[in-house]
Amino acid sequence: MATKKADGKLLAQNKKASHDYFIEDTYECGLVLTGTEIKSLRAGKANIGDSFSTIRNGEAFVHNMHISPFDQGNRSNPEDPTRTRKLLLKKVQIAKILGQAKQEGYTVVPLKVYIRNGYAKLLIGIGKGKKQYDKRESAAKKDAQRDIQRALREKQKIAR
């Protein structure tokens, strides 16, 4: 139940997260949004590159998640596009996330924003920060895997 995969319409993705952190566990949570925010989100005007999550007083929040104001918005259009938004999680999940995030070097990182069954969802992950040599090692593994796949494709083309 702890790990969920995003299978809805992907709206925003934090590509830096997998580069900067070892993602160990993921949780799917709902977002508390206003009416015009969800319209803007469905239009794909969201950015979670610089966002982070915190847990205060038994509630989870996402900070610096940028959702542009809706063009045809009304007075319920929020003034601040990077306002703090509440995350909808069960108490058991919040307690588990808090316990994992309290360990040294661990943090809660937003990974993806997507629509599932008509609701906006945020996939958050518990990540351990990578050192510089870890980042270089990950890049080397990715390059080696890409080279292997390229060689296999070439070999299959020759065999035909």
Side-chain angles (χ1 to χ4, degrees), residues 41-96:
L41 192 67
R42 286 179 192 273
K45 296 182 178 180
N47 183 7
I48 60 170
D50 296 329
S51 61
F52 62 97
S53 296
T54 58
I55 296 177
R56 283 179 289 158
N57 300 329
E59 295 180 334
F61 297 94
V62 63
H63 303 273
N64 289 347
M65 180 177 159
H66 188 279
I67 299 177
S68 299
F70 190 58
D71 295 335
Q72 293 86 32
N74 54 14
R75 62 183 170 173
S76 70
N77 233 1
E79 308 250 332
D80 183 20
T82 59
R83 71 180 182 88
T84 301
R85 293 170 178 88
K86 187 175 178 181
L87 300 177
L88 302 173
L89 286 165
K90 295 181 180 176
K91 285 184 181 181
V92 175
Q93 291 175 324
I94 290 175
K96 192 181 282 190

